[in-house]
Amino acid sequence: MLGAMAAAAVPAVRCSLLQRRPLRCGPGVRPVPGPGAALRLCSTRVEQEGINKPVIDRIIRVDHAGEYGANRIYAGQMAVLGRSSVGPVIQQMWNQEKVHLKKFNELMIAYRVRPTVLLPFWNIAGFVLGAGSALLGKKGAMACTVAVEESISEHYNNQIRTLIEKDPEKYKELLQVIKQFRDEEQEHHDIGLEHDAEATPAYSVLKTAIQLGCKAAIFLSERI
């Protein structure tokens, strides 16, 4: 049952435009004509020869799980605060997370990586965390954003260092993706601070608890 639900979270790959900076994902990439065009992935597989498959599997699996969880957190926040003054800010960040998740859906198929079997759990846990933090008000939602995005940015930085140590040229397309998403997660972190995250009652305790949960989620999603 868990396997079927997890598999359903990874839709069939399709050629899709990515917002902002162009992204590449290995062989099969070609330019898309038209105003503001980016590059799109039009191949369902990438060349596996010479890559460190266990490392790449863990990176893509955990990043997919992280972006899936982030989407569920923002969904929970929007369910509570969507009609409030901060709703458009949360929606903007959520829209970027949707792009991130879509890209990792494609990468999972391109690199033949299975999703974590914990996706059904992250589905519920992410939404509960998002809605629960939003029930504390705008500041609580933003405190959650700061805690989560700080953890994700740090995690992405660790992956960037790992891939550079392995072979920056061989993994340059994946590095480009991770660096872009790292920068956007850092933007979300900064937006949270700008919207009074630190004014949340017991901010330090809340942030520490959420980040411990994030570390546990990262550890488990890499391996299961």
Side-chain angles (χ1 to χ4, degrees), residues 8 66 92 97:
Q92 179 185 0
E97 299 294 351

Side-chain angles (χ1 to χ4, degrees), residues 129 143-144 146-148 150-151 201-216:
L129 176 58
C144 176
V146 169
V148 171
E150 186 175 287
S151 295
Y203 169 75
S204 296
V205 175
L206 179 63
K207 179 181 177 183
T208 299
I210 292 173
Q211 290 188 330
L212 285 174
C214 288
K215 289 179 180 178

Side-chain angles (χ1 to χ4, degrees), residues 34-151:
L39 294 178
R40 61 182 178 179
L41 176 66
C42 292
S43 173
T44 58
R45 293 287 184 267
V46 296
E47 180 57 52
Q48 303 287 310
E49 184 179 353
I51 72 168
N52 189 320
K53 192 67 166 60
V55 169
I56 297 304
D57 282 3
R58 288 177 62 167
I59 285 176
I60 294 177
R61 180 180 302 113
V62 71
D63 288 353
H64 173 265
E67 298 297 351
Y68 182 80
N71 269 267
R72 299 304 295 151
I73 289 171
Y74 284 117
Q77 291 184 350
M78 284 298 291
V80 177
L81 296 173
R83 297 181 180 272
S84 70
S85 60
V86 78
V89 177
I90 297 173
Q91 184 66 60
Q92 179 185 0
M93 294 189 288
W94 188 14
N95 288 343
Q96 283 190 316
E97 299 294 351
K98 290 177 182 178
V99 174
H100 296 182
L101 179 58
K102 187 175 183 179
K103 184 61 181 177
F104 277 111
N105 280 332
E106 295 176 352
L107 288 172
M108 291 190 79
I109 295 173
Y111 283 91
R112 307 177 206 179
V113 179
R114 66 163 178 82
T116 173
V117 299
L118 296 172
L119 280 187
F121 179 75
W122 303 146
N123 176 26
I124 297 171
F127 189 89
V128 169
L129 176 58
S133 64
L135 288 172
L136 300 175
K138 182 191 84 170
K139 295 175 183 177
M142 291 300 163
C144 176
T145 294
V146 169
V148 171
E149 301 293 22
E150 186 175 287
S151 295

